[in-house]
Amino acid sequence: ALAAKGIDCEMVAVNLLKGNQLDDEHSTRNPLKQVPVLECTDSLTGQTIQLTQSMAIIDFLETAFPAGNTLFSNDPVTRARAKELAEMINSGIQPLQNLANIKTLNGMADGIGRKFASQSIEAGLVALERKAKESRKQSNAFLVDFAPTIADVCLVPQLFNARRFEVPLEKVCPTLLEIEALCNAHPWFVGAHPDKQPDAVQAAPAKRAAENDDSSAKKPKA
């Protein structure tokens, strides 16, 4: 979203596996002790603004910087469809692969956390694949439009994490992989891809459940 708007920012890594999100400094930014956090200064009041939750941050950037590129279609149906698919990922898949959930499940039976996350991701992507086939305009389009939307912004990191859980993507979601390839070649995604971050961890499958959540996350500071 920052890249789409052409907003320069400072990226501050918060390593989840090392527990950086539990530090007092970060929990002050986000009492839920999660990522991401957007921190910026109100140009009118000089007040420091801190926003959490990806959807809220993306909506803020769209509203505060309306000029130029957008992740939202002017067509109401396409706009709603993009939000629908984005929420399928953000609310229907992403929470089920979180490190805290994996650790809790592993406390019940060793290895069950990773298995649960992998199965949940696969089930979610099967549903998303079906929706993508219905909503995609043509074979060279993104999820719901000819330009990337908020849905594509959510798709790329989810597929990145799916590979870490060894989800058989070629079998599960070939359409989503076609769209991912389009995203990876698009200027908005090139520099923002997880592999391109200064603290990037390659999306190789980890051997233990606790290693299969996002190893780090960023706090943009614009």
Side-chain angles (χ1 to χ4, degrees):
L2 289 163
K5 289 296 181 182
I7 300 172
D8 292 330
C9 63
E10 175 191 357
M11 304 295 288
V12 180
V14 178
N15 192 307
L16 303 182
L17 292 180
K18 293 181 179 180
N20 292 164
Q21 74 278 17
L22 305 177
D23 295 346
D24 290 342
E25 181 181 3
H26 186 72
S27 60
T28 299
R29 303 186 193 105
N30 186 349
L32 280 176
K33 302 178 181 180
Q34 296 174 347
V35 293
V37 176
L38 174 73
E39 182 177 301
C40 58
T41 302
D42 190 317
S43 60
L44 297 177
T45 66
Q47 177 186 7
T48 298
I49 300 171
Q50 291 178 334
L51 291 173
T52 68
Q53 304 303 321
S54 298
M55 295 303 185
I57 291 170
I58 293 172
D59 183 72
F60 167 76
L61 293 174
E62 181 65 25
T63 305
F65 303 92
N69 300 318
T70 179
L71 293 171
F72 297 90
S73 171
N74 289 326
D75 175 68
V77 175
T78 302
R79 186 185 186 97
R81 188 71 69 193
K83 289 184 176 181
E84 175 190 20
L85 270 59
E87 283 295 354
M88 287 181 67
I89 299 169
N90 184 61
S91 300
I93 304 176
Q94 194 278 332
L96 302 178
Q97 65 191 23
N98 278 350
L99 181 59
N101 293 336
I102 293 174
K103 285 184 174 180
T104 298
L105 289 171
N106 281 342
M108 302 176 185
D110 186 40
I112 194 173
R114 182 178 187 279
K115 182 177 180 180
F116 171 79
S118 180
Q119 291 176 342
S120 299
I121 293 171
E122 181 169 343
L125 291 178
V126 167
L128 191 66
E129 172 78 4
R130 178 177 174 181
K131 279 288 188 179
K133 289 179 178 178
E134 296 172 357
S135 62
R136 198 180 189 195
K137 296 184 183 296
Q138 61 186 45
S139 61
N140 64 341
F142 293 88
L143 268 172
V144 301
D145 210 345
F146 293 107
T149 67
I150 189 173
D152 303 289
V153 169
C154 293
L155 174 66
V156 172
Q158 182 56 66
L159 291 179
F160 177 88
N161 212 39
R163 292 184 175 93
R164 301 179 66 194
F165 285 90
E166 300 180 87
V167 176
L169 298 179
E170 289 77 11
K171 175 183 177 181
V172 169
C173 53
T175 304
L176 298 183
L177 291 181
E178 291 178 6
I179 296 168
E180 180 193 35
L182 291 175
C183 291
N184 288 341
H186 194 282
W188 297 353
F189 290 85
V190 171
H193 193 278
D195 280 338
K196 302 296 184 181
Q197 304 314 305
D199 62 331
V201 176
Q202 297 300 310
K207 296 180 184 276
R208 300 191 61 83
E211 298 172 348
N212 279 275
D213 203 311
D214 288 336
S215 62
S216 65
K218 287 84 180 173
K219 178 189 74 67
K221 184 176 181 181

